[in-house]
Amino acid sequence: MAEVIISIAGYIALGALALSFIRMIIGPTTADRAVALDTMTIISISLIAFIASRSMKIIYLDVATVYALISFLGVIAVARYIERGI
Amino acid sequence: MNLLDIIGAIITLIGSLFLLLGSIGILRMPDVYNRMQAGTKATTLGSMLFLLGLGLSYIECGCIGRIIILILFIIFTNPISSHALARAAHHAGVKLTEKSVRDNLRDDEQKEGART
């Protein structure tokens, strides 16, 4: 029962990832694409934790933490680039 | 059929629904700032609930501590990154949609420019 509900939740999160990927393709400005990429990163962190919990490997949670750190730095760098250029 | 498993699974399902709502908001909102609001607030709450539900449902793998650290990290960094993106988009001159009625940042900058 619980396994089935968690599997459905994982598929819903995968659909959310696909929807924000559409916005990243068709977004008119660079800021739209950066926002969509930020959202995709957060959903990816959730999916990495999902895989880590399903396969009982705690080391994947460290991967998710480092991914969150690097995505935060990347979004800050993109914001500085949009504001005043490299 | 443990009770904690069922509670964690339901919390995970609610979190994934918030993630889906955030993505639909990103796809349908009219301009960058509205998209940013939908894609940051809903996604922060959704990922918090998703990770908390996973940690409760798989309590036997002993990963609840790392999941709480990950949740705290997301709470601290996600509003900062969206704030930086919104400020950068406003300074780069991305237009608001036609339905918006006020722009407080532009008014404050004009006031500052008139004072100096």
Side-chain angles (χ1 to χ4, degrees), chain A residues 6-27:
Chain A
I6 287 178
S7 298
I8 291 172
Y11 282 116
I12 289 174
L14 206 59
L17 192 68
L19 285 181
S20 53
F21 185 66
I22 294 174
R23 172 54 69 191
M24 197 181 84
I25 292 174
I26 67 173

Side-chain angles (χ1 to χ4, degrees), chain B residues 52-110:
Chain B
L52 188 66
L54 282 177
L56 285 181
S57 180
Y58 293 94
I59 197 87
E60 68 268 16
C61 81
C63 47
I64 186 74
R66 291 178 197 226
I67 279 180
I68 286 174
I69 290 173
L70 195 54
I71 288 173
L72 285 178
F73 191 78
I74 287 175
I75 289 174
F76 284 140
T77 60
N78 210 0
I80 296 172
S81 62
S82 83
H83 178 91
L85 267 178
R87 189 168 173 275
H90 194 278
H91 280 200
V94 178
K95 292 282 187 294
L96 275 72
T97 180
E98 288 89 7
K99 291 178 186 173
S100 59
V101 293
R102 55 191 293 175
D103 190 356
N104 279 343
L105 181 56
R106 189 192 60 201
D107 294 344
D108 286 347
E109 281 174 352
Q110 282 178 356

Side-chain angles (χ1 to χ4, degrees), chain B residues 14-62:
Chain B
I14 293 171
S16 71
L17 287 177
F18 270 102
L19 289 179
L20 185 66
L21 287 179
S23 289
I24 291 174
I26 260 189
L27 201 57
R28 286 186 55 88
M29 285 285 179
D31 67 343
V32 180
Y33 309 101
N34 290 320
R35 274 173 209 148
M36 202 170 292
Q37 167 163 348
T40 306
K41 281 182 180 174
T43 313
T44 306
L45 180 62
S47 64
M48 279 168 53
L49 289 177
F50 198 95
L51 294 171
L52 188 66
L54 282 177
L56 285 181
S57 180
Y58 293 94
I59 197 87
E60 68 268 16
C61 81

Side-chain angles (χ1 to χ4, degrees), chain A:
Chain A
M1 180 69 187
E3 296 279 331
V4 176
I5 295 176
I6 287 178
S7 298
I8 291 172
Y11 282 116
I12 289 174
L14 206 59
L17 192 68
L19 285 181
S20 53
F21 185 66
I22 294 174
R23 172 54 69 191
M24 197 181 84
I25 292 174
I26 67 173
T29 64
T30 314
D32 285 314
R33 294 193 170 96
V35 171
L37 186 68
D38 194 16
T39 306
M40 280 176 67
T41 313
I42 300 296
I43 299 172
S44 305
I45 291 164
S46 301
L47 284 174
I48 291 172
F50 173 75
I51 294 170
S53 300
R54 289 302 285 267
S55 66
M56 292 284 174
K57 285 179 178 161
I58 307 180
I59 192 71
Y60 288 166
L61 287 175
D62 296 339
V63 176
T65 308
V66 175
Y67 190 56
L69 177 63
I70 290 178
S71 82
F72 170 64
L73 291 178
V75 170
I76 293 294
V78 170
R80 280 187 70 92
Y81 168 65
I82 292 172
E83 192 167 357
R84 66 190 76 166
I86 293 288

